[in-house]
Amino acid sequence: MSERKKPRLALFGLIAVALVGSATFYFSKTDQTNASEALDKAKASQKLQSLTELNGKAPSHRKLDVQTWNTAEGAKVLFVEARELPMFDMRLIFAAGSSQDGDAPGLALLTNAMLNEGVAGKDVSVIAQGFEGLGADFGNGAFKDMAIASLRSLSAADKREPALKLFAEVVGKPSFPADSFTRIKNQMLAGFEYQKQNPGKLASLELMNRLYGDHPYAHASDGTAQTVPAVTLAQLRAFQQKAYAAGNVVIALVGDLSRAEAEAIAAQVSAALPKGPALPKIEQPAEPKASIGHIEFPSKQTNLMLAQLGIDRDDPDYAALSMGNQILGGGGFGTRLMSEVREKRGLAYGVYSGFSPMQARGPFMINLQTRAEMSEGTLKLVQDVLADYLKTGPTEKELDDAKRELAGSFPLSTASNADIVGQLGAIGFYNLPLSHLEDFMQQSQNLTVEQVKAAMNKHLSTNKLVIVSAGPTVPQKPLPAPTDKPAEQPLGVPEH
């Protein structure tokens, strides 16, 4: 684990999915393009808000004028006009994540990774050169719930139009070349071999299996060494036709565009996609039984993961749980967990907690690495901290501090076009109100200690924890007594 160097924003919807090892990105190489040069030039001309102007107040943030409509083919579009930079960002969010794999784990990720490997008359290198020559960037990735394809381009018509044409080909009519398919499969298989040497990954895989059983969230997005070789090109083509259909996508657009230009772009992309409806929403998982599992692994440290089912993305307690988790273990230094485990006892380099809300109930998780000879005591300490927090709730000071931190970091959620397009994608994909960001901020600032405590106790219980550890079986030592200056500092560099 790595130590966090800045406070984590409490808007944890999409980012936190990475905690459970469920997200895999395939991004094209990004060079110094015309787009990035324009960005640098524009940034240099922007005047930063002076700290002296704040005078103790929270920094200002952009209020978004979100416009929305549906294309003729049924794609949902969200658009924010932003004229500051001569460029635009577009993100397509498909309900085409690994939860749609069915009996072929790895299918969704393979399909997404193959999008830019070839179209009629162009191989992967020609596609990459095409985007690069226009000063445009293409990106793609696959997760539990969703798969994405994104484009950043200059907004001038002579650059925008050919970039859009190429993008529409890539997402709408990929050719799935056999040589690329073999190469990517081999890369994934090599990754599975590496996972065998990563106790954190092994623990995460076991944890998700115990937490979700036979639910689609149980398997990793990249499948397994047994399932990936069996996936065929015919399956990829069928999945792309079904899951990358116009009725199954949200199009998020932000940038130097008029409403008419945005409508034309959305219509062009939507028309290029296969025709078809939205896929059914993933069903809720069954509540698992509390359990403890251990993976024997030769190491000086032990990975500890504690989890239970959390919430889905539209749960009304989202804001209260976000704030409650920020105090428990989501905010880095100063949280309950970090204070007791690292700062007072030097038992871990870092310890973090987080909710990962998705279409269905995502996990709540606490994870850390600690000395193998103190793993049992550390596990009990973490459980005790959680139990005490649920019993007493946050203090008024903790809640006030968390509110101030959120108010200070909240502007970062809309600081750039890329940030905004990500927020729009989440709002559209999870069918949240267009005013979601403002609503979240207002709800968070109005929370009371009692409301946070009630929400945490409603959704969490120490009796429901699924626990997995990965490390060696060694004689245990007692934990050091808490102190302001622990005698034994955390190991500086985690093993994995």
Side-chain angles (χ1 to χ4, degrees), residues 88-112:
F88 73 94
D89 285 82
M90 175 169 59
R91 179 173 296 182
L92 274 57
I93 307 97
F94 299 90
S98 61
S99 56
Q100 300 288 347
D101 279 343
D103 59 359
L107 173 60
L109 188 145
L110 275 167
T111 302
N112 185 269

Side-chain angles (χ1 to χ4, degrees), residues 11 64-68 76-80 250 312-319 410 414 420 422-443:
L11 296 174
L64 305 182
D65 177 20
V66 182
Q67 304 176 53
T68 185
K76 184 177 182 178
V77 185
L78 291 92
F79 168 61
V80 169
V250 171
D312 53 33
R313 191 56 181 79
D314 58 359
D315 193 286
D317 293 325
Y318 181 89
F410 186 68
T414 56
I420 296 172
Q423 298 289 0
L424 292 186
I427 289 171
F429 186 82
Y430 293 109
N431 292 313
L432 303 174
L434 298 183
S435 59
H436 166 69
L437 293 179
E438 295 295 332
D439 294 346
F440 173 82
M441 185 63 176
Q442 184 175 359
Q443 291 168 11

Side-chain angles (χ1 to χ4, degrees), residues 244-458:
Y244 285 74
N248 198 45
V249 69
V250 171
I251 302 175
L253 266 169
V254 178
D256 182 26
L257 303 167
S258 66
R259 168 66 181 256
E261 289 170 329
E263 287 185 359
I265 289 172
Q268 178 182 349
V269 172
S270 177
L273 297 174
K275 305 298 184 291
L279 297 183
K281 187 177 179 180
I282 300 300
E283 294 183 359
Q284 293 290 354
E287 192 77 41
K289 293 182 179 179
S291 65
I292 299 178
H294 177 72
I295 299 171
E296 192 67 21
F297 193 92
S299 173
K300 293 181 179 179
Q301 297 186 67
T302 294
N303 287 73
L304 298 174
M305 293 188 174
L306 304 81
Q308 63 186 82
L309 293 185
I311 59 170
D312 53 33
R313 191 56 181 79
D314 58 359
D315 193 286
D317 293 325
Y318 181 89
L321 292 173
S322 176
M323 190 65 73
N325 176 69
Q326 191 77 357
I327 297 166
L328 172 64
F333 285 100
T335 64
R336 290 278 185 99
L337 286 169
M338 190 72 90
S339 175
E340 294 296 329
V341 176
R342 172 172 173 158
E343 296 169 30
K344 293 182 180 180
R345 295 175 175 85
L347 294 170
Y349 189 68
V351 52
Y352 306 103
S353 65
F355 289 88
S356 299
M358 296 187 279
Q359 275 192 334
R361 293 175 68 189
F364 165 80
M365 186 180 300
I366 300 173
N367 60 337
L368 69 152
Q369 283 178 264
T370 189
R371 295 177 179 84
E373 66 273 16
M374 295 184 181
S375 59
E376 292 180 10
T378 302
L379 174 60
K380 184 178 186 306
L381 174 62
V382 169
Q383 291 174 293
D384 288 345
V385 171
L386 175 60
D388 179 70
Y389 185 61
L390 294 177
K391 180 180 178 181
T392 63
T395 65
E396 289 286 356
K397 184 181 184 305
E398 286 175 324
L399 183 56
D400 288 343
D401 289 346
K403 287 180 179 181
R404 279 195 297 271
E405 182 180 341
L406 174 60
S409 59
F410 186 68
L412 296 176
S413 65
T414 56
S416 70
N417 288 357
D419 294 322
I420 296 172
V421 83
Q423 298 289 0
L424 292 186
I427 289 171
F429 186 82
Y430 293 109
N431 292 313
L432 303 174
L434 298 183
S435 59
H436 166 69
L437 293 179
E438 295 295 332
D439 294 346
F440 173 82
M441 185 63 176
Q442 184 175 359
Q443 291 168 11
S444 298
Q445 295 301 315
N446 291 336
L447 286 168
T448 66
V449 165
E450 291 74 20
Q451 288 173 320
V452 172
K453 179 183 176 183
M456 295 294 283
N457 277 276
K458 176 182 175 182

Side-chain angles (χ1 to χ4, degrees), residues 126-174:
V126 173
I127 292 172
Q129 291 168 8
F131 284 122
E132 186 176 316
L134 295 166
D137 293 326
F138 172 85
N140 53 328
F143 304 84
K144 292 284 190 185
D145 276 343
M146 65 181 67
I148 65 169
S150 63
L151 174 69
R152 166 173 285 190
S153 171
L154 295 167
S155 55
D158 62 330
K159 296 293 191 295
R160 180 183 77 219
E161 291 174 2
L164 282 167
K165 183 176 184 297
L166 181 56
F167 181 80
E169 288 183 272
V170 167
V171 296
K173 296 182 179 179

